[in-house]
Amino acid sequence: IAPYLLKIFFDVSDKDILNYSRLALIYLLFVPFNLTIKYMCTYQGSGASFFKLNTVTDLLKLVLLGIFIPFFKIYGVIIAMILNEFISMIILLVWFIISNKKFKSE
């Protein structure tokens, strides 16, 4: 789907479109980790934390897209996606460490 969407939103040639699509997939390295922590938040029964974490990570994504697209065009999308997942991973990791201190065994 990515090659077709890139053609719609950006002026790219057919030979470059696969390279852009491959670069856009780099963010998938962080997705399993982020989803695991988000689902752990849900399974712990912390609906408020899940809502806050999703809101913060989605707002971060919008802000990064708004910052990078005007300057870097198609590379801005790729940079924003990768940075969003990386920063989200750090936020979720910090949340996980802080929230699980109360479950620490003595």
Side-chain angles (χ1 to χ4, degrees), residues 20-38:
Y20 291 132
S21 298
R22 288 181 190 143
L23 282 173
L25 293 176
I26 292 173
Y27 83 98
L28 288 176
L29 295 171
F30 303 106
V31 169
F33 180 79
N34 292 348
L35 287 176
T36 301
I37 292 183
K38 283 182 182 178

Side-chain angles (χ1 to χ4, degrees), residues 2 4-5 7-8 13-14 19 23 25 27 30 35 37-38 42 45-47 53 57 65 67 72-73 76 79 83 99:
Y4 300 111
L5 291 176
K7 278 185 182 180
I8 292 171
S13 65
D14 285 334
N19 292 331
L23 282 173
L25 293 176
Y27 83 98
F30 303 106
L35 287 176
I37 292 183
K38 283 182 182 178
T42 304
S46 181
L53 290 172
T57 55
L65 286 171
I67 291 171
F72 301 110
K73 307 292 183 219
I79 292 167
L83 276 177
S99 69

Side-chain angles (χ1 to χ4, degrees), residues 15-100:
K15 72 176 188 177
D16 292 335
I17 206 154
L18 288 176
N19 292 331
Y20 291 132
S21 298
R22 288 181 190 143
L23 282 173
L25 293 176
I26 292 173
Y27 83 98
L28 288 176
L29 295 171
F30 303 106
V31 169
F33 180 79
N34 292 348
L35 287 176
T36 301
I37 292 183
K38 283 182 182 178
Y39 288 133
M40 288 174 70
C41 176
T42 304
Y43 294 134
Q44 287 179 354
S46 181
S49 293
F50 181 73
F51 177 73
K52 289 176 191 174
L53 290 172
N54 273 338
T55 304
V56 167
T57 55
D58 289 343
L59 285 174
L60 177 66
K61 184 184 307 180
L62 291 174
V63 167
L64 289 173
L65 286 171
I67 291 171
F68 287 109
I69 289 177
F71 296 112
F72 301 110
K73 307 292 183 219
I74 194 163
Y75 286 113
V77 174
I78 296 166
I79 292 167
M81 288 170 43
I82 294 169
L83 276 177
N84 175 57
E85 291 300 323
F86 180 72
I87 295 170
S88 294
M89 181 184 73
I90 292 170
I91 291 170
L92 291 168
L93 184 62
V94 168
W95 174 85
F96 179 73
I97 291 169
I98 291 172
S99 69
N100 285 323

